[in-house]
């Protein structure tokens, strides 16, 4: 198999370049599998080397939250010191127990941290986010999710607490954002916590637990050298650009050979490349709970 046939159509059959065939697709898939496997190895052997550096700010999250509430005619929520502490303790616990969920592997509940910070609520809720680059991306992601939006725009809430904490989660530097809402006003007969759109009655016995006296987390000086998302993004765009160049070269070579034709495969390739490029450009590594 001649090397040039990987880049330009075959001279006799005018078959497409091999890098535009299923053979090329297998190579691309294999290379991306190797890339992801390499990230896994680095994350396991050198925790914190991989990661995403963000510029998320606690005050900005609160301001953006209140702007969304204002749009719906809702009263703003007020920053509460105890809820700030609860959010920070929750973030600290996710790092220490290495999990990403509302409920900890050890059995701790979302309201354990609120009660443990000294806030006795009648109605409470929690939104989580990780690995976003900017504050507005976090709030936009919450607003684009039905359950998170309903939580953020809940008229029952009067107070808010926010923690933005960096640490190492699953081998990668991670920025966690914890948003706690609550009120002490008598809204329900029994205390209720909203978790992912489900209202859970909180046992009164949970309010008798001692306060959590853990040391509040600070911004950990974790220097990540490699952003795996950006590398994957640029690698994907490079492959798409490479395939686009080959498609143009394919048309040019066929034109020079006087066998020029535009087939349905050309349209299929260009459509696939355009959709792939758009999805990659507008995607984000962030996730919410």
């Amino acid at each position: 198999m001649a090397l040039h046939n990987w880049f330009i159509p075959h001279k006799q059959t005018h078959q497409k370049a091999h890098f535009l065939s299923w053979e090329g697709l297998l190579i691309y898939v294999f290379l991306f599998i190797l890339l992801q496997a390499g990230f896994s190895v680095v994350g396991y052997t050198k925790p914190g080397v991989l990661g995403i550096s963000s510029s998320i700010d606690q005050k900005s999250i609160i301001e953006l939250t209140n702007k969304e509430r204002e749009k719906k005619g809702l009263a703003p929520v007020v920053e509460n010191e105890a809820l700030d502490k609860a959010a920070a303790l929750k973030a600290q616990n996710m790092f220490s127990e290495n999990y990403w969920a509302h409920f900890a592997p050890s059995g701790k509940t979302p309201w354990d941290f609120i009660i443990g910070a000294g806030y006795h609520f009648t109605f409470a809720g929690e939104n989580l986010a990780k690995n976003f680059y900017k504050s507005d991306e976090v709030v936009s992601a919450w607003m684009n999710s039905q359950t998170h939006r309903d939580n953020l725009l809940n008229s029952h809430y009067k107070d808010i607490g926010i923690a933005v904490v960096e640490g190492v989660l699953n081998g990668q530097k991670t920025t966690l954002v914890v948003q706690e809402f609550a009120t002490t006003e008598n809204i329900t007969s029994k205390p209720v916590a909203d978790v992912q759109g489900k209202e859970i009655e909180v046992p009164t016995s949970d309010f008798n637990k001692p306060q959590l006296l853990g040391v509040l987390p600070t911004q950990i000086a974790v220097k990540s050298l490699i952003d795996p998302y950006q590398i994957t993004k640029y690698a994907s765009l490079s492959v798409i650009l490479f395939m686009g160049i080959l498609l143009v070269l394919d048309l040019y070579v066929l034109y020079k050979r006087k066998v020029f034709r535009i087939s349905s495969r050309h349209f299929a390739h260009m459509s696939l490349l355009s959709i792939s490029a758009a999805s990659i450009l507008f995607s984000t590594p962030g996730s919410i709970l």
Side-chain angles (χ1 to χ4, degrees):
M1 186 182 293
L3 180 62
H4 63 269
N5 286 337
W6 285 92
F7 300 92
I8 62 174
H10 195 279
K11 190 171 184 179
Q12 281 74 39
T13 64
H14 307 300
Q15 182 182 358
K16 288 187 180 301
H18 295 305
F19 275 127
L20 291 175
S21 67
W22 64 268
E23 298 161 302
L25 180 62
L26 288 178
I27 292 174
Y28 305 141
V29 171
F30 177 70
L31 290 176
F32 276 103
I33 290 175
L34 282 181
L35 182 63
Q36 298 306 315
F39 288 150
S40 298
V41 171
V42 172
Y44 179 77
T45 57
K46 300 288 184 181
V49 171
L50 299 177
I52 292 170
S53 298
S54 70
S55 58
I56 300 173
D57 176 71
Q58 178 196 38
K59 300 299 181 184
S60 296
I61 295 290
I62 296 175
E63 290 174 3
L64 290 167
T65 296
N66 279 327
K67 282 183 180 179
E68 295 297 339
R69 291 176 65 87
E70 183 182 356
K71 292 177 185 177
K72 298 298 181 180
L74 299 171
V77 284
V78 179
E79 185 176 8
N80 180 276
E81 185 178 352
L83 290 181
D84 280 344
K85 179 181 179 182
L89 289 171
K90 175 59 180 284
Q92 180 192 53
N93 185 251
M94 282 193 282
F95 283 127
S96 62
E97 294 190 34
N98 197 43
Y99 72 97
W100 166 241
H102 288 285
F103 294 88
S106 61
K108 291 185 179 68
T109 66
W111 54 88
D112 278 341
F113 300 98
I114 298 176
I115 297 171
Y119 190 108
H120 281 225
F121 63 89
T122 58
F123 202 93
E126 178 179 83
N127 284 338
L128 303 177
K130 70 171 181 177
N131 282 341
F132 286 89
Y133 291 106
K134 299 178 182 178
S135 300
D136 59 340
E137 293 176 348
V138 176
V139 178
S140 292
W142 283 333
M143 289 299 294
N144 288 328
S145 164
Q146 182 68 50
T147 56
H148 294 83
R149 180 171 64 252
D150 290 346
N151 207 21
L152 192 145
L153 299 178
N154 196 314
S155 61
H156 291 330
Y157 300 136
K158 306 299 179 185
D159 300 321
I160 186 175
I162 296 289
V164 181
V165 185
E166 292 184 349
V168 177
L169 188 68
N170 294 323
Q172 292 192 18
K173 176 190 172 184
T174 302
T175 300
L176 293 177
V177 182
V178 181
Q179 184 180 52
E180 304 286 10
F181 293 107
T183 184
T184 56
E185 291 187 1
N186 189 18
I187 294 174
T188 59
S189 57
K190 292 184 178 180
V192 172
D194 188 302
V195 182
Q196 289 187 298
K198 296 180 180 180
E199 293 187 359
I200 302 173
E201 286 191 4
V202 178
T204 54
S205 58
D206 285 4
F207 286 86
N208 297 323
K209 294 180 180 179
Q211 285 195 13
L212 298 174
L213 300 176
V215 178
L216 292 180
T218 57
Q219 289 295 327
I220 303 172
V222 182
K223 289 187 177 181
S224 57
L225 303 178
I226 303 171
D227 185 331
Y229 171 74
Q230 290 293 346
I231 290 179
T232 303
K233 180 176 182 177
Y234 290 132
S236 301
L237 290 174
S238 296
V239 169
I240 291 173
L241 177 62
F242 176 65
M243 292 180 67
I245 292 173
L246 290 183
L247 275 174
V248 173
L249 185 61
D250 178 88
L251 293 172
Y252 175 75
V253 170
L254 293 178
Y255 173 78
K256 295 295 287 185
R257 292 176 182 173
K258 302 187 184 303
V259 289
F260 179 75
R261 65 185 184 277
I262 298 179
S263 65
S264 59
R265 289 187 177 182
H266 285 97
F267 288 111
H269 273 96
M270 292 306 297
S271 298
L272 179 61
L273 291 179
S274 299
I275 293 172
S276 299
S279 62
I280 292 170
L281 284 172
F282 294 105
S283 64
T284 173
S287 59
I288 58 177
L289 269 179

